[in-house]
Amino acid sequence: MFQFLKQRAQGSASWLLMALTVLLLEATALYFQYVMQLQPCVMCIYERVALLGILGAALLGAIAPKTPLRWLAILVWIYSAWQGLRLAWDHTMMQLYPSPFNTCEFFVQFPSWLPLNDWLPSVFQAYGDCSIKQWAFLTLDMPQWLLGIFAAYFIVGIFVLISQFVRVQNSLYGYKNKY
Protein backbone atom coordinates (compact mmCIF):
# COMPACT_ATOMS: atom_id res chain seq x y z
CA MET A 1 0.00 0.00 0.00
CA PHE A 2 2.74 2.45 0.91
CA GLN A 3 4.57 1.77 -2.34
CA PHE A 4 1.36 2.48 -4.23
CA LEU A 5 0.83 5.75 -2.35
CA LYS A 6 4.42 6.82 -2.95
CA GLN A 7 4.12 6.17 -6.68
CA ARG A 8 0.82 8.09 -6.85
CA ALA A 9 2.33 11.03 -4.95
CA GLN A 10 5.09 11.23 -7.56
CA GLY A 11 2.59 11.72 -10.37
CA SER A 12 0.33 14.65 -11.15
CA ALA A 13 -2.91 12.71 -11.65
CA SER A 14 -3.51 11.98 -7.94
CA TRP A 15 -2.80 15.57 -6.98
CA LEU A 16 -5.21 16.82 -9.64
CA LEU A 17 -7.85 14.38 -8.42
CA MET A 18 -7.48 15.80 -4.92
CA ALA A 19 -7.79 19.33 -6.32
CA LEU A 20 -10.97 18.28 -8.13
CA THR A 21 -12.51 16.93 -4.92
CA VAL A 22 -11.79 20.19 -3.12
CA LEU A 23 -13.22 22.23 -6.01
CA LEU A 24 -16.39 20.14 -5.86
CA LEU A 25 -16.68 20.75 -2.11
CA GLU A 26 -16.15 24.50 -2.60
CA ALA A 27 -18.74 24.53 -5.39
CA THR A 28 -21.14 22.71 -3.08
CA ALA A 29 -20.60 25.36 -0.41
CA LEU A 30 -21.37 28.10 -2.92
CA TYR A 31 -24.46 26.17 -4.06
CA PHE A 32 -25.67 26.03 -0.46
CA GLN A 33 -25.02 29.75 -0.09
CA TYR A 34 -26.43 31.12 -3.33
CA VAL A 35 -28.99 28.57 -4.51
CA MET A 36 -30.31 27.19 -1.22
CA GLN A 37 -29.91 30.61 0.47
CA LEU A 38 -28.08 29.20 3.52
CA GLN A 39 -26.05 31.86 5.29
CA PRO A 40 -22.45 30.83 6.04
CA CYS A 41 -21.19 31.46 9.54
CA VAL A 42 -17.68 32.40 10.63
CA MET A 43 -16.72 28.76 11.19
CA CYS A 44 -18.05 27.87 7.72
CA ILE A 45 -15.79 30.50 6.18
CA TYR A 46 -12.77 29.26 8.12
CA GLU A 47 -13.56 25.70 7.03
CA ARG A 48 -13.67 26.94 3.42
CA VAL A 49 -10.23 28.44 3.88
CA ALA A 50 -8.93 25.12 5.25
CA LEU A 51 -10.26 23.44 2.11
CA LEU A 52 -8.52 26.07 0.02
CA GLY A 53 -5.30 25.19 1.84
CA ILE A 54 -5.77 21.59 0.71
CA LEU A 55 -6.47 22.87 -2.81
CA GLY A 56 -3.25 24.90 -2.77
CA ALA A 57 -1.32 21.84 -1.60
CA ALA A 58 -2.88 19.74 -4.36
CA LEU A 59 -1.96 22.27 -7.04
CA LEU A 60 1.58 22.57 -5.68
CA GLY A 61 1.92 18.79 -5.71
CA ALA A 62 0.54 18.59 -9.25
CA ILE A 63 3.00 21.19 -10.53
CA ALA A 64 6.13 19.48 -9.21
CA PRO A 65 5.38 15.92 -7.99
CA LYS A 66 8.94 14.61 -8.36
CA THR A 67 10.71 17.53 -6.70
CA PRO A 68 11.16 18.49 -3.04
CA LEU A 69 8.09 20.72 -3.44
CA ARG A 70 6.09 17.50 -3.09
CA TRP A 71 7.19 17.42 0.57
CA LEU A 72 5.94 20.96 1.10
CA ALA A 73 2.66 20.07 -0.60
CA ILE A 74 2.19 17.06 1.68
CA LEU A 75 2.93 19.13 4.79
CA VAL A 76 0.53 21.92 3.73
CA TRP A 77 -2.08 19.25 2.96
CA ILE A 78 -1.76 17.66 6.40
CA TYR A 79 -1.69 21.01 8.21
CA SER A 80 -4.77 22.29 6.36
CA ALA A 81 -6.65 19.04 6.92
CA TRP A 82 -5.76 19.14 10.64
CA GLN A 83 -6.92 22.74 10.98
CA GLY A 84 -10.12 21.92 9.09
CA LEU A 85 -10.70 18.93 11.35
CA ARG A 86 -10.20 21.09 14.43
CA LEU A 87 -12.56 23.77 13.09
CA ALA A 88 -15.23 21.24 12.10
CA TRP A 89 -14.99 19.67 15.57
CA ASP A 90 -15.45 23.03 17.29
CA HIS A 91 -18.31 23.88 14.94
CA THR A 92 -19.99 20.54 15.62
CA MET A 93 -19.70 21.07 19.38
CA MET A 94 -21.29 24.52 19.02
CA GLN A 95 -24.24 22.99 17.21
CA LEU A 96 -24.68 19.91 19.37
CA TYR A 97 -24.27 21.76 22.66
CA PRO A 98 -25.40 25.37 22.11
CA SER A 99 -24.42 27.72 24.88
CA PRO A 100 -24.17 31.48 25.25
CA PHE A 101 -20.60 30.89 26.41
CA ASN A 102 -19.60 28.77 23.43
CA THR A 103 -20.20 30.92 20.37
CA CYS A 104 -18.26 31.91 17.31
CA GLU A 105 -17.08 35.39 16.43
CA PHE A 106 -19.39 37.92 14.80
CA PHE A 107 -17.05 38.67 11.92
CA VAL A 108 -14.31 36.73 10.18
CA GLN A 109 -10.84 37.85 11.14
CA PHE A 110 -8.16 37.30 8.53
CA PRO A 111 -4.61 38.63 8.81
CA SER A 112 -4.04 42.15 7.48
CA TRP A 113 -1.81 40.74 4.74
CA LEU A 114 -4.59 38.40 3.54
CA PRO A 115 -7.98 40.12 3.95
CA LEU A 116 -9.99 37.55 1.98
CA ASN A 117 -13.29 38.98 3.19
CA ASP A 118 -12.35 42.35 1.67
CA TRP A 119 -10.97 40.90 -1.55
CA LEU A 120 -13.86 38.52 -2.24
CA PRO A 121 -16.73 39.27 0.15
CA SER A 122 -19.21 37.16 -1.85
CA VAL A 123 -17.27 34.04 -0.80
CA PHE A 124 -15.57 34.97 2.48
CA GLN A 125 -18.12 37.15 4.31
CA ALA A 126 -20.04 35.47 7.14
CA TYR A 127 -23.69 36.27 7.82
CA GLY A 128 -24.96 33.22 9.72
CA ASP A 129 -24.90 31.97 13.28
CA CYS A 130 -22.57 29.03 14.03
CA SER A 131 -24.95 27.35 16.46
CA ILE A 132 -27.92 27.19 14.07
CA LYS A 133 -28.39 23.95 12.16
CA GLN A 134 -29.39 24.96 8.64
CA TRP A 135 -28.99 21.72 6.73
CA ALA A 136 -28.76 17.99 7.39
CA PHE A 137 -28.37 14.89 5.25
CA LEU A 138 -28.72 11.36 6.66
CA THR A 139 -29.13 12.94 10.12
CA LEU A 140 -25.70 14.63 9.97
CA ASP A 141 -25.31 18.39 9.91
CA MET A 142 -22.87 20.18 7.63
CA PRO A 143 -20.02 20.45 10.18
CA GLN A 144 -20.43 16.75 10.99
CA TRP A 145 -19.99 15.91 7.31
CA LEU A 146 -16.94 18.15 7.25
CA LEU A 147 -15.52 16.24 10.23
CA GLY A 148 -15.56 13.09 8.12
CA ILE A 149 -14.21 14.86 5.04
CA PHE A 150 -11.32 16.53 6.86
CA ALA A 151 -10.57 13.30 8.76
CA ALA A 152 -10.33 11.44 5.45
CA TYR A 153 -8.02 14.08 3.99
CA PHE A 154 -5.90 14.01 7.15
CA ILE A 155 -5.58 10.22 7.38
CA VAL A 156 -4.74 9.85 3.70
CA GLY A 157 -2.23 12.70 4.06
CA ILE A 158 -0.53 10.93 6.97
CA PHE A 159 -0.35 7.70 4.97
CA VAL A 160 1.11 9.55 1.98
CA LEU A 161 3.69 11.20 4.24
CA ILE A 162 4.70 7.84 5.71
CA SER A 163 4.88 6.33 2.23
CA GLN A 164 7.53 8.85 1.23
CA PHE A 165 9.98 7.02 3.49
CA VAL A 166 9.31 3.62 1.92
CA ARG A 167 11.66 2.27 -0.73
CA VAL A 168 9.91 1.35 -3.93
CA GLN A 169 10.83 -2.06 -5.30
CA ASN A 170 10.83 -2.14 -9.07
CA SER A 171 11.05 -5.87 -9.69
CA LEU A 172 8.21 -8.37 -9.80
CA TYR A 173 7.24 -9.93 -6.42
CA GLY A 174 9.82 -7.80 -4.60
CA TYR A 175 12.82 -9.92 -5.64
CA LYS A 176 15.82 -8.18 -7.09
CA ASN A 177 16.99 -9.53 -10.41
CA LYS A 178 20.73 -10.20 -10.60
CA TYR A 179 20.81 -10.29 -14.41
Side-chain angles (χ1 to χ4, degrees):
M1 174 181 80
F2 287 120
Q3 290 180 355
F4 175 79
L5 289 173
K6 184 174 185 174
Q7 290 170 342
R8 297 292 79 78
Q10 292 178 352
S12 295
S14 298
W15 292 103
L16 291 173
L17 179 61
M18 184 168 69
L20 177 65
T21 63
V22 173
L23 286 173
L24 289 174
L25 289 169
E26 291 289 352
T28 302
L30 293 174
Y31 175 83
F32 285 144
Q33 182 177 351
Y34 288 105
V35 176
M36 295 179 65
Q37 300 295 314
L38 302 179
Q39 298 300 317
C41 67
V42 171
M43 297 297 281
C44 296
I45 299 300
Y46 292 154
E47 290 157 355
R48 282 185 192 179
V49 173
L51 279 172
L52 289 176
I54 296 171
L55 176 64
L59 294 176
L60 182 63
I63 290 170
K66 293 187 185 268
T67 69
L69 285 177
R70 177 181 78 246
W71 289 91
L72 178 62
I74 293 169
L75 293 176
V76 170
W77 167 10
I78 291 171
Y79 175 77
S80 296
W82 173 254
Q83 290 302 318
L85 188 60
R86 188 184 57 77
L87 288 163
W89 175 261
D90 290 345
H91 194 178
T92 299
M93 291 301 106
M94 282 181 204
Q95 287 191 351
L96 291 178
Y97 307 106
S99 165
F101 305 107
N102 186 19
T103 62
C104 61
E105 303 160 350
F106 290 114
F107 303 104
V108 291
Q109 297 178 12
F110 291 112
S112 60
W113 53 270
L114 190 68
L116 295 174
N117 57 327
D118 293 335
W119 293 346
L120 197 58
S122 60
V123 176
F124 296 107
Q125 199 63 266
Y127 301 105
D129 183 355
C130 295
S131 62
I132 295 177
K133 299 177 185 180
Q134 299 184 57
W135 176 87
F137 179 67
L138 299 175
T139 70
L140 296 176
D141 297 319
M142 203 172 304
Q144 292 170 324
W145 280 103
L146 285 172
L147 262 175
I149 290 166
F150 282 119
Y153 278 127
F154 182 74
I155 291 168
V156 172
I158 293 295
F159 282 150
V160 169
L161 179 64
I162 293 168
S163 75
Q164 300 308 297
F165 298 102
V166 173
R167 264 181 79 175
V168 175
Q169 296 178 353
N170 294 329
S171 60
L172 188 60
Y173 303 114
Y175 296 108
K176 297 200 185 248
N177 191 352
K178 294 180 181 180
Y179 305 104

